[in-house]
Amino acid sequence: MDQNNQNNQSSQSNQNNQSSQSNQNNQSSQSNRNNQSSQNNQNNQIFQSNQNNQSIQNTPKIPTFLPQHGHYRHLRAYQVSEIIYDITYYFTQHYLGRGDRTIDQMVQAARSGKQNIAEGNQAAATSSETEIKLTNVAKASLEELLDDYEDYLRVRNLQQWGNLHPRYEKMRLYARSEDFQRTYAAKIQQMTDEEIANLCITLVHQAITLLHKLLLSMQQRFVAEGGIKERMHQARTGYRQQQDKRLAELEQAVPALQQQLVKTQEEAAHWKAAYEDLKQRALKAYTQQQQEIESLKKSKEEEA
């Protein structure tokens, strides 16, 4: 009886050890699977992130062909021309007789100088030619207005202030100052017709110089960038080239993606086979344990 108990205890101990060993193997295998699964998930996330970043980076950008220009009111030439118009309107209403055709001519010339700068700047986005033409018209209109002021002084025997006139330099500096832009409307009401005419002559010279520089910059920009049709063609051609390049890159990436797919499928098949093997071994161990349990129960019954 003692010998049977010892055998039963030994068998039970072996069974427990075998079960413990099987559990340890199962836990180790499960841990390895979890680690491998976690590693695969990380690799997939990195791969997906790289694909997304590459897709964003290689997406063709829409090129622009409409140049961005500042508002015409920020142009110094326009600001001076606007002051010339204001002063000219005041001058013609106070110092030229009613019905004098010169009134309309001078006001229209001053207005043309101001308006053509604005229209030229607004047309610049779609037509460099129109911008240059209208800016040149503005310059010509102010030159016409300059002749009218000089004629006014000459026919009335009033003095036109030249470089040697004692008030010329002071007038020139005042006309360029920031204070002048704020105070000219009040100042001209305290000035004589000779002073206003010479002031406008000084302002017109400034505006013509500014417009000359503006025309030179337009010419340089046109030579460097071309007209709207050239920019449209370049933009369209550049975009198509980007698309072709992107298509070629994608076509080159297809074989690598196919290899990655085959490799992933092989790994999936390997893990499936490993899972089936582990499943069969676990089932076999379970069956053996059940058989041992039945054998022990049968032995106890026989002893009893």
Side-chain angles (χ1 to χ4, degrees):
M1 187 67 178
D2 292 338
Q3 183 65 34
N4 290 333
N5 291 333
Q6 290 179 356
N7 291 334
N8 291 337
Q9 292 177 355
S10 177
S11 175
Q12 183 67 32
S13 176
N14 292 333
Q15 183 178 354
N16 292 335
N17 290 336
Q18 184 176 2
S19 176
S20 175
Q21 183 66 32
S22 177
N23 291 334
Q24 289 180 356
N25 292 336
N26 292 338
Q27 292 176 356
S28 177
S29 177
Q30 182 66 30
S31 176
N32 291 334
R33 286 203 306 272
N34 292 337
N35 292 336
Q36 185 66 32
S37 176
S38 175
Q39 183 66 32
N40 289 338
N41 290 335
Q42 291 180 357
N43 292 337
N44 291 335
Q45 290 176 358
I46 294 173
F47 179 74
Q48 184 66 32
S49 176
N50 291 337
Q51 279 188 320
N52 293 336
N53 293 335
Q54 185 177 7
S55 177
I56 295 173
Q57 183 178 1
N58 294 330
T59 299
K61 296 181 179 179
I62 304 298
T64 58
F65 54 85
L66 295 177
Q68 299 296 323
H69 290 278
H71 198 276
Y72 63 86
R73 292 187 181 276
H74 297 156
L75 293 174
R76 175 63 179 166
Y78 178 84
Q79 295 170 355
V80 175
S81 298
E82 189 175 46
I83 295 173
I84 291 172
Y85 173 80
D86 294 346
I87 296 177
T88 298
Y89 185 85
Y90 175 88
F91 180 84
T92 56
Q93 297 301 310
H94 288 78
Y95 296 106
L96 294 177
R98 186 180 299 274
D100 191 339
R101 293 180 60 186
T102 308
I103 295 176
D104 184 64
Q105 292 174 356
M106 292 181 69
V107 171
Q108 290 303 318
R111 182 181 183 280
S112 176
K114 177 174 70 74
Q115 292 301 113
N116 279 289
I117 294 174
E119 293 178 15
N121 181 265
Q122 291 175 326
T126 56
S127 177
S128 299
E129 181 181 1
T130 302
E131 179 189 23
I132 293 172
K133 284 183 177 179
L134 291 176
T135 304
N136 193 59
V137 170
K139 180 171 173 288
S141 297
L142 292 176
E143 289 172 345
E144 178 185 344
L145 180 63
L146 177 63
D147 289 339
D148 288 333
Y149 276 112
E150 291 176 344
D151 290 343
Y152 179 90
L153 294 174
R154 187 181 66 257
V155 299
R156 289 167 177 77
N157 293 320
L158 298 176
Q159 188 176 7
Q160 181 177 343
W161 302 349
N163 295 341
L164 300 179
H165 192 278
R167 298 183 62 183
Y168 171 78
E169 186 63 24
K170 184 177 180 181
M171 176 71 75
R172 188 180 70 85
L173 293 176
Y174 173 64
R176 297 179 61 182
S177 66
E178 294 182 1
D179 180 62
F180 171 72
Q181 297 184 25
R182 297 191 300 267
T183 62
Y184 72 89
K187 288 287 186 181
I188 59 176
Q189 299 180 18
Q190 305 170 8
M191 299 169 67
T192 65
D193 57 342
E194 178 181 329
E195 291 172 332
I196 295 176
N198 278 286
L199 172 61
C200 267
I201 288 173
T202 301
L203 290 171
V204 170
H205 278 299
Q206 290 182 4
I208 290 174
T209 300
L210 291 170
L211 289 173
H212 178 70
K213 292 180 180 179
L214 190 59
L215 286 167
L216 288 177
S217 67
M218 292 176 186
Q219 174 182 288
Q220 293 172 355
R221 187 174 70 246
F222 178 79
V223 172
E225 301 176 4
I228 182 66
K229 291 183 178 180
E230 292 177 79
R231 294 195 298 270
M232 290 173 66
H233 176 71
Q234 292 173 358
R236 179 59 180 161
T237 303
Y239 183 69
R240 290 294 300 273
Q241 290 176 348
Q242 290 182 28
Q243 288 183 315
D244 293 341
K245 181 180 178 181
R246 177 58 178 157
L247 178 60
E249 291 174 351
L250 292 174
E251 289 176 346
Q252 292 178 357
V254 167
L257 292 174
Q258 289 177 338
Q259 293 178 0
Q260 182 71 24
L261 176 61
V262 171
K263 183 178 179 181
T264 303
Q265 290 174 339
E266 291 176 350
E267 291 178 355
H270 169 74
W271 286 111
K272 183 178 181 180
Y275 168 76
E276 291 296 334
D277 177 66
L278 180 62
K279 180 180 177 181
Q280 293 298 326
R281 288 192 286 110
L283 181 60
K284 182 178 180 180
Y286 173 76
T287 303
Q288 291 177 351
Q289 289 179 357
Q290 288 297 108
Q291 291 175 353
E292 291 180 3
I293 291 172
E294 292 296 330
S295 176
L296 290 173
K297 287 181 178 180
K298 187 176 182 180
S299 297
K300 289 181 178 181
E301 293 175 353
E302 290 177 353
E303 292 174 358

